[in-house]
Amino acid sequence: ALRIPLAYRRMRKYLSFELGKKTVIYSSGTNHILEEFYAHLGPSFKAQYISGHHGHTEEIRDVIKKYGMTDIELSESNIEQLNEVINEPVHAFFVCPRSTFLLGLYERADHFLRVRKEDLPEVVEREYKTLEEASKHVEQGGELIYFVTTFCNDECRKMTKRFLKEHEEYEFITEKQMFPFDKYQTLLYFSVFKRKDK
């Protein structure tokens, strides 16, 4: 049986996007979203997966192969070049930018030595730029889903508030912060936005 962190299942339950419409996932690091969709929908789940980092591309290629997900179109691109790999409006856009990855505290005792406080503003700005760029590709009535494996407020609730303040074309649906209280859970923050119909 798949042991997918429960946070991803909870995130999926808040979504109302229609299967069969254009779905894009952009990520620069480890996550379990493909495993969750595989568990819920089987290997026929169709999406375009754009990796923002070469090492992550290989990781996702292994997941696709492991579960026989033949309808996942995998490519690699930095966030500034999304126009080159997305050729139509997106109905559901999942965005998981590279973050401080505080989930790493459970994997590496020296994690805080790798993430310095003075680097946080640069990390946050990169995450915000990633969210903004993705938002440009969502069709009217479509959903934008931002998720990160951290609990840093600057990357979570403050990010959501800033995005809503600066993007009136989106309405807020929900946000959740979850913590890894058991082996089936994971540290995850997500927020869901819907692009308003004109």
Side-chain angles (χ1 to χ4, degrees):
L2 286 174
R3 291 189 175 184
I4 304 166
L6 291 175
Y8 289 88
R9 190 180 312 161
R10 291 180 185 171
M11 180 172 71
R12 180 180 50 76
K13 287 183 177 180
Y14 284 97
L15 308 179
S16 61
F17 74 95
E18 299 173 43
L19 293 173
K21 290 195 173 184
K22 181 75 171 179
T23 300
V24 171
I25 301 166
Y26 179 90
S27 179
S28 295
T30 301
N31 65 74
H32 295 280
I33 195 165
L34 275 188
E35 288 96 333
E36 172 57 37
F37 279 116
Y38 170 79
H40 180 59
L41 301 168
S44 61
F45 171 63
K46 184 175 182 178
Q48 180 179 2
Y49 198 110
I50 304 169
S51 168
H53 185 267
H54 182 67
H56 183 57
T57 305
E58 295 305 312
E59 180 183 19
I60 292 303
R61 186 172 284 121
D62 290 343
V63 171
I64 291 170
K65 183 178 179 181
K66 179 178 180 179
Y67 298 113
M69 301 180 80
T70 56
D71 286 330
I72 302 297
E73 176 191 338
L74 178 62
S75 60
E76 191 173 305
S77 173
N78 60 44
I79 196 66
E80 293 85 4
Q81 296 173 317
L82 282 186
N83 282 329
E84 297 177 15
V85 292
I86 297 177
N87 53 22
E88 63 181 299
V90 176
H91 185 65
F93 205 134
F94 294 82
V95 185
C96 182
R98 187 176 289 263
S99 69
T100 52
F101 189 61
L102 294 183
L103 179 61
L105 288 169
Y106 295 87
E107 300 173 358
R108 299 186 299 265
D110 66 342
H111 186 75
F112 275 131
L113 298 178
R114 300 165 185 253
V115 181
R116 299 179 304 166
K117 185 177 180 180
E118 54 267 31
D119 293 336
L120 184 59
E122 182 180 342
V123 171
V124 169
E125 281 308 306
R126 185 180 64 230
E127 288 171 289
Y128 188 72
K129 182 178 181 181
T130 302
L131 179 60
E132 273 201 315
E133 286 297 320
S135 74
K136 297 173 184 177
H137 297 274
V138 178
E139 66 185 8
Q140 292 180 32
E143 292 180 324
L144 176 65
I145 304 96
Y146 169 77
F147 64 105
V148 282
T149 50
T150 187
F151 55 80
C152 173
N153 197 35
D154 287 348
E155 300 173 272
C156 299
R157 297 186 190 280
K158 283 186 180 179
M159 184 76 68
T160 291
K161 287 181 181 179
R162 177 182 172 186
F163 180 79
L164 288 168
K165 183 178 179 181
E166 297 181 10
H167 293 273
E168 294 182 353
E169 72 273 23
Y170 277 90
E171 62 180 311
F172 175 71
I173 302 299
T174 192
E175 66 178 343
K176 295 288 177 183
Q177 176 74 73
M178 286 171 277
F179 298 95
F181 293 126
D182 60 59
K183 64 183 179 180
Y184 299 111
Q185 186 61 280
T186 192
L187 178 62
L188 187 75
Y189 170 84
F190 69 87
S191 53
V192 182
F193 312 94
K194 185 174 183 178
R195 188 158 197 164
K196 300 174 184 176
D197 292 322
K198 287 185 179 179

